[in-house]
């Protein structure tokens, strides 16, 4: 049987295959031992931990001179500190925020928090995409949007968008329209204006009705085919 556990200058094909099997088994147990939170709801700390564990686990395959002893010692050390940090995070709120991160409010009571969007490198397209993942296709329905430490965005709609539905009242339902972006971070999207068959002058008149004189104050403006417009202002003056 080929030597597979120690330091090997030149590993044979058979030894490599056996090491692959052992690394697969070790990787399986690594996945079982790491908390489910680290896999299903990955924070920055969890990502760094799993990335390092993965690199250490496959090291015997990348270099025959790396013995399994060299692999197991840092693995067990990381597991130990992972458990210690997790327990401290449960007991100490500040420590937990440091390692797991804090939630970031992106939309606060219908108003975009621009500094948080920029801090998280989120633009209009990415924000709208994440809202659609949360089954929200019209940003005017959003009261709060919060970026969680695990990278997901939680959305709370206005009360008027909840509870009773037309189906509950046996009412006819008109076709749902997805609004188009006509203003993106202070810039007019002329392509969508043309699709909606409205001009820039008409758009500016609608902004005037909203007491907006400077288009740079608008983070996002949407409009549907019924010419219903929604404006999301930024929080910078």
């Amino acid at each position: 049987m080929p030597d597979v556990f120690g330091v090997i200058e030149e590993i044979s094909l058979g030894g490599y295959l056996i090491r692959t099997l052992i690394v697969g088994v070790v990787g399986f147990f690594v996945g079982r031992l790491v908390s489910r939170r680290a896999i299903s709801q990955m924070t920055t700390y969890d990502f760094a931990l799993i990335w390092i564990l993965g690199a250490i686990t496959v090291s015997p395959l990348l270099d025959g001179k790396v013995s399994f002893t060299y692999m197991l010692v840092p693995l067990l050390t990381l597991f130990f500190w992972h458990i210690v940090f997790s327990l401290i995070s449960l007991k100490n709120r500040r420590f937990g925020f440091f390692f797991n991160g804090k939630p970031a409010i992106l939309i606060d009571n219908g108003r975009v928090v621009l500094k948080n969007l920029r801090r998280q490198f989120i633009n209009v397209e990415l924000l709208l995409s994440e809202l659609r993942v949360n089954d929200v296709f019209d940003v005017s329905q959003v009261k709060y949007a919060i970026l969680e430490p695990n990278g997901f965005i939680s959305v709370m709609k206005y009360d008027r968008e909840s509870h009773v539905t037309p189906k509950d009242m046996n009412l006819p339902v008109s076709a749902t329209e997805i609004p188009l972006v006509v203003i993106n971070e202070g810039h007019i999207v002329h392509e969508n204006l043309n699709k909606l068959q409205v001009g820039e002058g008409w758009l500016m008149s609608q902004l005037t009705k909203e007491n907006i004189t400077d288009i740079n104050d608008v983070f996002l403006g949407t409009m549907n085919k019924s010419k219903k417009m929604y404006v999301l202002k930024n929080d910078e003056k």
Side-chain angles (χ1 to χ4, degrees):
M1 181 177 178
D3 185 13
V4 296
F5 293 99
V7 176
I8 306 172
E9 293 291 337
E10 294 184 5
I11 188 169
S12 65
L13 178 60
Y16 189 83
L17 292 176
I18 295 175
R19 277 196 169 203
T20 302
L21 177 61
I22 296 174
V23 166
V25 173
V26 173
F28 171 77
F29 283 104
V30 167
R32 291 298 299 270
L33 291 174
V34 174
S35 63
R36 291 185 179 181
R37 183 207 67 177
I39 298 175
S40 62
Q41 300 178 337
M42 191 177 297
T43 63
T44 304
Y45 166 68
D46 295 325
F47 173 79
L49 173 70
I50 292 177
W51 188 85
I52 295 172
L53 288 176
I56 294 174
T57 302
V58 300
S59 58
L61 293 179
L62 303 178
D63 190 350
K65 295 180 181 180
V66 178
S67 71
F68 281 96
T69 302
Y70 297 159
M71 179 189 74
L72 291 175
V73 171
L75 274 181
L76 295 175
T77 303
L78 282 175
F79 275 127
F80 170 77
W81 286 113
H82 171 64
I83 294 173
V84 170
F85 290 153
S86 297
L87 291 175
I88 296 177
S89 297
L90 292 175
K91 301 294 183 180
N92 190 301
R93 193 164 180 261
R94 290 185 178 180
F95 191 86
F97 279 149
F98 177 77
F99 276 92
N100 300 323
K102 291 183 179 181
I105 299 177
L106 306 181
I107 298 178
D108 185 6
N109 199 23
R111 187 180 180 88
V112 65
V113 184
L114 189 58
K115 63 180 181 180
N116 287 345
L117 284 174
R118 289 177 174 171
R119 187 177 298 165
Q120 303 298 331
F121 301 100
I122 298 176
N123 58 18
V124 168
E125 288 77 12
L126 183 56
L127 177 62
L128 294 179
S129 174
E130 291 296 328
L131 292 179
R132 289 193 293 270
V133 171
N134 284 274
D135 200 28
V136 177
F137 292 84
D138 188 347
V139 70
S140 65
Q141 300 176 353
V142 179
K143 185 175 184 180
Y144 293 103
I146 302 173
L147 179 64
E148 305 293 354
N150 57 18
F152 292 102
I153 293 182
S154 301
V155 176
M156 175 186 288
K157 298 182 180 179
Y158 283 101
D159 292 338
R160 64 174 183 265
E161 305 294 340
S162 307
H163 309 304
V164 180
T165 65
K167 182 179 180 181
D168 298 327
M169 304 296 293
N170 294 319
L171 297 175
V173 181
S174 58
T176 302
E177 298 178 354
I178 299 178
L180 298 179
V181 177
V182 293
I183 302 176
N184 185 337
E185 297 188 53
H187 299 284
I188 297 176
V189 183
H190 292 90
E191 178 184 354
N192 289 340
L193 282 183
N194 294 332
K195 290 180 180 179
L196 295 167
Q197 298 180 344
V198 297
E200 184 175 335
W202 184 89
L203 176 65
M204 296 304 299
S205 67
Q206 297 302 306
L207 293 179
T208 302
K209 294 179 181 179
E210 299 287 339
N211 295 321
I212 298 175
T213 57
D214 187 354
I215 196 171
N216 291 317
D217 292 336
V218 180
F219 176 76
L220 174 65
T222 64
M223 187 185 303
N224 59 22
K225 292 182 179 180
S226 301
K227 305 297 186 294
K228 181 180 179 181
M229 188 172 178
Y230 174 75
V231 176
L232 194 61
K233 301 178 183 179
N234 62 51
D235 63 345
E236 292 187 351
K237 299 296 184 181

